[in-house]
Amino acid sequence: KELVDPLVAGDTVGEMSFVDGIGASATLIASGNVVVQSIDHSLVEEMAGNDPSFHERFYHSLLRTVIRRLRALDYQIAFPG
């Protein structure tokens, strides 16, 4: 099944796995060339050590991504086709 919205440059993927550590809930297939950057948990912890508000801002950003995708999925289920 295709994503509700195609991804564009700068989009975040893997946010649920990053938070809960369970693993991927989807498989992504690119239709062209992509550049992927990954963020290691240790980097997040290091950044938080340098800036105590970093954790809040970082996880708030991930939460907004999850909520946006969940709302889009809810809409797709409620109004198929």
Side-chain angles (χ1 to χ4, degrees), residues 3 5-15 35 37 65 68-69:
L3 286 172
D5 294 316
L7 299 174
V8 297
D11 276 350
T12 302
V13 296
E15 63 280 349
V35 175
Q37 294 180 321
T65 298
R68 179 179 52 83
R69 291 192 180 140

Side-chain angles (χ1 to χ4, degrees), residues 56-73:
E56 180 182 347
R57 294 190 321 271
F58 180 79
Y59 284 100
H60 184 258
S61 175
L62 293 183
L63 178 61
R64 289 177 58 92
T65 298
V66 171
I67 289 171
R68 179 179 52 83
R69 291 192 180 140
L70 181 58
R71 286 190 184 279
L73 183 58

Side-chain angles (χ1 to χ4, degrees), residues 17-68:
S17 295
F18 189 88
V19 172
D20 67 16
I22 291 177
S25 63
T27 300
L28 302 177
I29 300 172
S31 61
N33 294 331
V34 298
V35 175
V36 176
Q37 294 180 321
S38 64
I39 301 173
D40 190 82
H41 281 273
S42 62
L43 176 60
V44 173
E45 296 306 317
E46 180 182 333
M47 298 287 290
N50 296 328
D51 178 359
S53 68
F54 179 78
H55 260 148
E56 180 182 347
R57 294 190 321 271
F58 180 79
Y59 284 100
H60 184 258
S61 175
L62 293 183
L63 178 61
R64 289 177 58 92
T65 298
V66 171
I67 289 171
R68 179 179 52 83

